[in-house]
Amino acid sequence: MKQKQIILPPNEQVKSWYNVIADIPGGLAPPLDPATGQPMGPEKLGAIFPVGLLEQEMSGQRWVDIPEEILDIWQIWRPSPLIRATFLEQAIGTKAKIYYKYEGVSPSGSHKTNSAVAQAYYNKREGVKRLATETGAGQWGCALSFAAHKFGLDCKVYMVRVSYDQKPYRKVMMNTYGAEIVPSPSPDTPTGREIMEKYPDTPGSLGIAISEALEDTVSREDTKYALGSVFNHVCLHQTVIGLEAKKQLALAGDYPDVVIGCCGGGSNFAGLAAPFVPDKLEGRNIRLVGVEPTSCPTLTKGSCAYDFGDVSQRTPLLYMYTLGHDFIPSGIHAGGLRYHGMAPVISAMMRENLMEATALQQLECFEAGTLFARTEGIIPAPESCHAVRAAIIEATREPDKPQTILFNLSGHGLLDLASYEKYFAGELTNYDLPD
Ligand SMILES: *Cc1c(COP(=O)(O)O)cnc(C)c1O
């Protein structure tokens, strides 16, 4: 019998994060202050982030200890399982071994809870009372609502309108954790009011929701801002995924030829793939593949430049792959992948040819997700379906090649069943962004 699930024993628990910035040749271009065009000092960002997270954002230190308080809460679901997709392998007729790291076991159902708990901890430590944030598909809002409540913080979530309408149970979930939630654009902020007036039918976008959460933050003394992806500290927190996966694969006597993750802002992919970068730099033959939707092809069709993280130009300028801060993607169902920019960490890995990117259509991804559900049992989040599809493509290109594929199943789709329903009803379409 093939080994199905690889358990990490308690003495193998991951206790430090890995900061890939220490190893990226040429490092990262610093965030710029849009007012001066000069590198942004920590003082300015201190209005929106606690010092503990700012230090991580600016740090080039290779290993960072994970505080006990975070490990304590993480124990609810970490280490997350590494599972060999034996039934999927069989169904597609490949000699490749396919492993997936399953992050859907977290309380809110995705990898986002890893960083949410860390961010709530650092805010609490510095006396912050309330967090403001945005959420696209709803996973980040749920994760932060849970984490904020664990540390006794209030939480307000601005949720992209199209997702708010598509996923009503996300709202209930956030309410259950005690958070306040509004659809974005909302009447609660200047940017929200302005956009509602100009574009009353807008589906909203992450860029708009970020602007609203930032405006909320700077208008109050007791509030800081939390972001679920893109920033260096978020990618850092997520490296627990890849660090655990490496240990688990070693226990199984394996090492991946290909590592795959879907890319929205880049945090789950960075979390899984970054810990393999040192091996790649030492000459190991390993491919790191980021997967994005054809409707929001940041890495495959965007350009690498300084750009804002939000539509109203309130964030620092980040050096990243981007489709432009005013880009509003079509309302595809992988809401978590509808972001115009890509994490500077991922962008630097692209620039240094440490990774590659591919864009996939919505329908082939739901088809792959459905096959995965029918073989392995887990219904993947629409975002994660992109990684499943990419893994299937890799495993069937040369089906007799005995390679090892590792992908991140970043979340489950049990709160995304409305998208599956539309897919089965034939109501979903593919979408290509014109060049
Ligand atoms: C948010 C989300 C993503 C995309 O975000 P990244 O920062 O790119 O990881 C992917 N999968 C799931 C399940 C998500 O919730």
Side-chain angles (χ1 to χ4, degrees), residues 356-402:
E356 56 196 273
T358 183
L360 297 177
Q361 295 280 3
Q362 169 161 262
L363 291 181
E364 61 181 320
C365 293
F366 273 104
E367 185 189 352
T370 304
L371 177 63
F372 190 83
R374 290 176 184 177
T375 51
E376 294 297 320
I378 298 167
I379 299 179
E383 294 84 1
S384 315
C385 288
H386 289 71
V388 177
R389 174 63 186 146
I392 293 173
I393 290 172
E394 291 295 336
T396 50
R397 191 179 293 134
E398 297 171 72
D400 291 327
K401 192 171 154 191

Side-chain angles (χ1 to χ4, degrees), residues 219-272:
S219 74
R220 294 176 60 137
E221 277 291 323
D222 61 348
T223 299
K224 294 255 188 273
Y225 170 66
L227 193 106
S229 186
V230 182
F231 277 104
N232 300 343
H233 62 269
V234 186
C235 295
L236 178 77
H237 301 154
Q238 296 296 355
T239 57
V240 65
I241 302 172
L243 293 166
E244 281 180 4
K246 264 183 110 164
K247 287 174 177 240
Q248 286 162 307
L249 278 175
L251 285 175
D254 258 322
Y255 188 90
D257 299 289
V258 192
V259 175
I260 297 167
C262 62
C263 283
S267 73
N268 89 86
F269 176 69
L272 181 69

Side-chain angles (χ1 to χ4, degrees), residues 41-244:
E43 329 77 57
K44 265 203 164 167
L45 285 171
I48 54 172
F49 291 126
V51 175
L53 293 176
L54 270 184
E55 279 170 4
Q56 291 178 355
E57 190 59 29
M58 308 286 177
S59 169
Q61 187 183 320
R62 184 172 285 108
W63 293 98
V64 180
D65 287 343
I66 307 174
E68 281 293 328
E69 292 86 342
I70 296 171
L71 291 172
D72 216 33
I73 296 177
W74 274 8
Q75 281 190 75
I76 297 172
W77 71 97
R78 303 217 75 85
S80 69
L82 181 78
I83 301 168
R84 179 147 166 219
T86 44
F87 304 119
L88 176 68
E89 289 169 16
Q90 225 168 25
I92 60 177
T94 181
K95 294 234 166 65
K97 292 184 202 170
I98 305 176
Y99 289 94
Y100 61 96
K101 183 73 168 154
Y102 185 41
E103 291 296 313
V105 291
S106 93
S108 66
S110 81
H111 68 286
K112 296 224 170 61
T113 327
N114 300 328
S115 184
V117 170
Q119 293 189 41
Y121 164 76
Y122 287 106
N123 277 286
K124 174 71 179 182
R125 201 184 65 171
E126 292 175 31
V128 174
K129 297 279 184 277
R130 178 177 174 273
L131 294 174
T133 197
E134 74 292 328
T135 192
Q139 281 108 332
W140 171 246
C142 289
L144 193 70
S145 302
F146 161 72
H149 193 265
K150 285 302 284 177
F151 286 100
L153 305 171
D154 290 334
C155 183
K156 174 148 181 187
V157 182
Y158 295 85
M159 184 169 185
V160 176
R161 176 176 292 279
V162 60
S163 300
Y164 187 93
D165 295 338
Q166 279 171 359
K167 303 178 180 186
Y169 292 122
R170 285 278 171 200
K171 172 181 181 295
V172 180
M173 197 167 164
M174 290 180 240
N175 288 150
T176 305
Y177 290 130
E180 182 192 350
I181 165 161
V182 288
S184 164
S186 79
D188 299 3
T189 68
T191 291
R193 287 191 288 272
E194 189 189 318
I195 291 180
M196 284 176 91
E197 196 163 296
K198 262 203 232 158
Y199 311 101
D201 296 326
T202 179
S205 72
L206 266 180
I208 296 169
I210 292 173
S211 295
E212 293 205 83
L214 280 170
E215 280 166 14
D216 177 316
T217 303
V218 298
S219 74
R220 294 176 60 137
E221 277 291 323
D222 61 348
T223 299
K224 294 255 188 273
Y225 170 66
L227 193 106
S229 186
V230 182
F231 277 104
N232 300 343
H233 62 269
V234 186
C235 295
L236 178 77
H237 301 154
Q238 296 296 355
T239 57
V240 65
I241 302 172
L243 293 166
E244 281 180 4

